Amino acid sequence: MGFNYKAIFVDLDGTLLNSHKVISQKNLKCLNEFVDNGVPVVIATGRTLKSVKKVTQGLKLETPVITLNGNDIRKSLDGYSMMLSYVDNKLKEAVFVMCRNILNGNSDYYIQNILFDTASGFYCLHPNLLDANEFSTHYDSDVKELDVDNPPTDSVVSFLFLLTPESNREAFLEDQTKFFKPFGAKFCTFNGWPWIELGSPKVNKGTAMQYV
């Protein structure tokens, strides 16, 4: 190889994974050749660690893994968490205020479901509405039901919101971005995936890559 890379950081969805959510044999061969030549390959994704393990089989990963958009950095695919970032308590409380306000009635948009990660598992507003096949590849533990009027005290890693199909997505993002501006928090949207994420404003894939 004629390139002098120190490391390669690569996203999964919309980047390394194809439309079938797998790594092509051509890309797999290319990245493994980099590893064999001493160039570390680091995954940086919004997925959970369990999901990363599933879709990167065959890839020689001997480096830290950036998951949950930088909120959780693992020493390796089977390693401990090098850095786990939680949402500030004030931001967490503001999220539940927002959810209660929207769930009580909004003419432009409505939250169909809420999902969030904690150190002890994950919670969901309507577990029965989750796509079991989709989320079984992301989490090891069973889902716990969320009561927004009496939310859990667990530390939250990140929130995911799913709007109803008829909701005005742009209006939601505009309104709630203004609502969360004092907290410095920003929403993250995904290519081809309807969920909207909100995590700690202090971390992202960029800060995680610098840390690694």
Side-chain angles (χ1 to χ4, degrees):
M1 290 188 177
F3 302 109
N4 189 29
Y5 294 125
K6 292 182 178 179
I8 295 175
F9 290 84
V10 61
D11 189 15
L12 292 176
D13 295 283
T15 306
L16 185 57
L17 301 182
N18 59 25
S19 59
H20 300 291
K21 300 298 181 183
V22 297
I23 305 174
S24 71
Q25 289 302 308
K26 181 179 179 180
N27 285 337
L28 193 64
K29 181 176 182 293
C30 176
L31 291 177
N32 281 336
E33 285 182 0
F34 275 112
V35 174
D36 291 339
N37 282 274
V39 181
V41 173
V42 181
I43 297 296
T45 179
R47 288 174 175 253
T48 62
L49 184 67
K50 179 182 178 182
S51 179
V52 173
K53 289 181 179 180
K54 181 178 177 62
V55 299
T56 58
Q57 293 180 12
L59 186 58
K60 299 176 182 178
L61 293 177
E62 302 172 355
T63 53
V65 182
I66 298 170
T67 66
L68 298 176
N69 284 322
N71 287 286
D72 189 6
I73 305 174
R74 296 298 181 114
K75 179 68 175 177
S76 65
L77 280 177
D78 297 307
Y80 61 88
S81 181
M82 298 169 60
M83 186 178 75
L84 184 60
S85 302
Y86 293 109
V87 171
D88 179 86
N89 283 334
K90 290 184 178 180
L91 174 57
K92 183 177 75 171
E93 293 169 4
V95 168
F96 290 122
V97 169
M98 176 202 75
C99 293
R100 286 192 288 267
N101 288 341
I102 295 176
L103 292 171
N104 286 333
N106 186 292
S107 58
D108 293 325
Y109 45 80
Y110 190 81
I111 295 177
Q112 178 174 302
N113 219 339
I114 305 166
L115 180 71
F116 62 90
D117 302 271
T118 72
S120 60
F122 72 106
Y123 290 79
C124 181
L125 181 63
H126 299 300
N128 60 307
L129 296 181
L130 278 184
D131 184 333
N133 292 328
E134 177 181 12
F135 283 94
S136 63
T137 63
H138 287 267
Y139 299 97
D140 289 312
S141 58
D142 293 332
V143 61
K144 304 174 184 177
E145 190 165 357
L146 166 66
D147 179 357
V148 292
D149 292 318
N150 297 285
T153 58
D154 307 42
S155 296
V156 176
V157 179
S158 65
F159 290 93
L160 285 171
F161 308 98
L162 179 66
L163 303 181
T164 57
E166 65 275 9
S167 289
N168 186 328
R169 186 181 176 91
E170 289 71 27
F172 170 85
L173 290 171
E174 182 178 351
D175 291 347
Q176 302 311 321
T177 296
K178 292 178 181 176
F179 179 78
F180 288 110
K181 187 175 181 180
F183 302 94
K186 296 181 180 180
F187 290 100
C188 177
T189 57
F190 305 88
N191 181 27
W193 202 50
W195 291 80
I196 300 170
E197 185 183 50
L198 183 71
S200 170
K202 300 177 182 179
V203 297
N204 52 51
K205 288 179 184 175
T207 59
M209 286 190 286
Q210 289 178 331
Y211 182 87
V212 171

